[in-house]
Every structure is written in structure tokens, then in C-alpha cells.
Amino acid sequence: MKRIVLLRHGESMWNKENRFTGWTDVDLTPQGAAEAEEAGRLLRDKGFAFGKAYTSYLKRAVKTLDRVLDLLDQDWIPVEKSWRLNEKHYGALQGLDKSETAARYGEEQVLLWRRSYDTAPDAVAEDDPRNPALDARYAEVPDAYLPRTESLRQTVARTLPYWECTIFPSLKRHDALLVVAHGNSLRGIVKYLKQIPDKDIAGLNLPTAVPYVFEFDDDLRLVDDYFLGDPARIAAKMAAVAAQGKSKSPMKP
């Protein structure tokens, strides 16, 4: 049996503040660090031993991975970072409060921006600091590949080649791999693995720092998938993610 564990990073500062984050490089909260450590303990208790790990260029994912590997005492395994595992670029929404945005534009529109397959927010301008072309960490990435905004479809188009050409083939050489990334880059991978229709993808909300295990047979065919941890707690965390795009405006009498 072969296994790949997908793990969304722990709670970030902007998760806590309910802001659109995207490619903005924000840190973990103390709660997010604790979540990462709990994920490490869950994986340790289940006896996971990884041959290699993958993560994005963003510190909330990198630091989550570091804490998990430390809890597993597997800090020594090779780690590969790729901008292709970065979160969906939320364009001009990055930095805005999700609830305030929902109050202004409507919850339905915010849901489309957050969870639909084809709807992208407005792009950032070329001189906007949120444009990744102005960020030194992407200096070696061709400008045409760097998004100014993205839909989930575009995020999948960025992430899936890395999955198909780099991550998944390495499962032939290792019994288990760990991929620590972001809600939308991982949603795209899950959509591909489970063949979720475009119209149903809005219903998939990945909780922070809950290991999502995918098991494959020796021919690398998917045979099972499941979350590690208490089902009620996981369901509550998923519901909390779904509620982030709700307006907090007071009800009219």
C-alpha cells in the first residue's frame, strides 16, 4: 500500500482575522502552530514514516511542515518547495475582510469567488505590491506563469502539472509522501483524485491542519481516502471554514 497525506497549513493570522490571503505571506497564529503539532502527533501515533515532503513557498505552509516533521522526528527527510503549491491568488480581494466583503457584494458572490470552479476576483494592477511578479522569491518563474488573480480552474492548471510530473511519480520510490499546502491548491488535487464534478466543488471545505490520507494500491490506483482525527471536531472545523464568507451585518427588525 502507498499513501499520500494532504495537509492544509494551520491557522494563519489572516485566517484568524477572516481576511482573503492568497499569495500574501502571513504567519501562523499560536493556535495554528498548535494545530500543526497536533497533526504531527496524529501522524506519529498512526506510525507514518514519510520518504519525502512537498510544500509551497508561503511560510504558513512551510512552518506547518516543519512542526509536523519535528513531532515525527523526521526532520531529515528531503523537502521540496514549489510556487505551484501556493494558495489560489485572490487578486484584488487579498487583505479584505471576508464578512465585510460579503456584506458589500452579497454572500452568493463571495461564495463564487471563494469556492466556485470558474469565477476569479478582479486582478491586481501591475504596480500593485500584491503582484507576485514584484516578489523576489518568484524571480526565476516566467512572468506569464505568475497570476494576478485566479479561479480554482486556473489554480488547478498551475498545480496539477506539478502533481502529475513530480509528486505522484515519486510515490513509486516511496511508501508515503506528505504534501503541506493550502485550502485551494489542495482542493484542486482532491477534485482530481476523487473526480469531483465542477458544480460540486464549492461544497468541499478543507479544515486547517487535519491530515487527509489517500491510499493507493501497488499500481497506484486510489483505494481509500479519510481524515485523521475526531469526526465531530473535523466537521466543526469544516463548517467554520464554510462560514467565513458569511456577512456579519445585523439582522433588520
Side-chain angles (χ1 to χ4, degrees):
M1 180 179 64
K2 304 276 191 174
R3 296 186 292 188
I4 295 180
V5 176
L6 304 182
L7 184 68
R8 185 185 174 193
H9 60 80
E11 180 190 65
S12 74
M13 296 298 297
W14 280 15
N15 289 148
K16 183 177 181 179
E17 296 171 10
N18 202 29
R19 297 164 73 179
F20 290 97
T21 309
W23 283 37
T24 308
D25 199 16
V26 299
D27 212 336
L28 295 175
T29 63
Q31 174 63 28
E35 288 178 340
E37 291 171 2
E38 174 60 20
R41 282 189 286 271
L42 281 170
L43 291 165
R44 181 189 64 196
D45 292 347
K46 294 295 183 180
F48 277 82
F50 297 103
K52 189 170 184 178
Y54 299 85
T55 191
S56 74
Y57 275 9
L58 301 173
K59 68 174 69 174
R60 57 193 186 272
V62 174
K63 291 188 176 183
T64 296
L65 174 60
D66 288 344
R67 288 179 179 269
V68 169
L69 293 180
D70 186 56
L71 261 294
L72 290 168
D73 197 23
Q74 294 175 30
D75 311 72
W76 54 272
I77 70 168
V79 172
E80 185 170 318
K81 299 173 186 175
S82 175
W83 62 276
R84 289 186 179 273
L85 290 175
N86 279 14
E87 175 61 294
K88 181 175 82 171
H89 196 296
Y90 274 103
L93 293 178
Q94 291 187 180
L96 299 184
D97 182 282
K98 294 174 185 175
S99 295
E100 292 175 0
T101 305
R104 180 176 180 182
Y105 295 101
E107 292 179 3
E108 184 176 349
Q109 180 60 60
V110 170
L111 179 63
L112 289 174
W113 283 329
R114 292 182 67 224
R115 292 292 177 259
S116 72
Y117 196 54
D118 289 302
T119 304
D122 290 340
V124 295
E126 289 302 305
D127 60 352
D128 192 304
R130 296 169 294 181
N131 178 359
L134 304 178
D135 192 322
R137 82 192 74 192
Y138 308 114
E140 295 184 5
V141 181
D143 183 75
Y145 291 169
L146 293 173
R148 276 60 167 176
T149 185
E150 285 179 309
S151 64
L152 182 58
R153 182 186 293 275
Q154 291 167 318
T155 306
V156 171
R158 159 169 60 84
T159 303
L160 204 56
Y162 185 67
W163 172 268
E164 292 182 315
C165 297
T166 301
I167 299 176
F168 198 64
S170 71
L171 198 58
K172 297 176 182 177
R173 302 186 299 275
H174 303 287
D175 289 333
L177 302 171
L178 177 60
V179 182
V180 181
H182 305 267
N184 283 293
S185 54
L186 294 178
R187 285 172 74 233
I189 292 171
V190 174
K191 182 183 188 301
Y192 169 75
L193 288 173
K194 300 190 69 173
Q195 299 183 339
I196 300 173
D198 296 358
K199 63 182 179 62
D200 295 333
I201 194 60
L204 177 62
N205 291 286
L206 295 180
T208 52
V210 175
Y212 194 177
V213 182
F214 286 79
E215 295 184 349
F216 303 85
D217 64 20
D218 290 339
D219 294 319
L220 302 187
R221 292 178 298 217
L222 180 64
V223 295
D224 198 10
D225 65 281
Y226 51 91
F227 289 100
L228 292 182
D230 176 66
R233 183 170 175 269
I234 293 170
K237 293 185 74 169
M238 286 180 168
V241 173
Q244 287 173 352
K246 301 290 186 181
S247 170
K248 293 182 180 178
S249 298
M251 296 293 292
K252 294 182 179 180

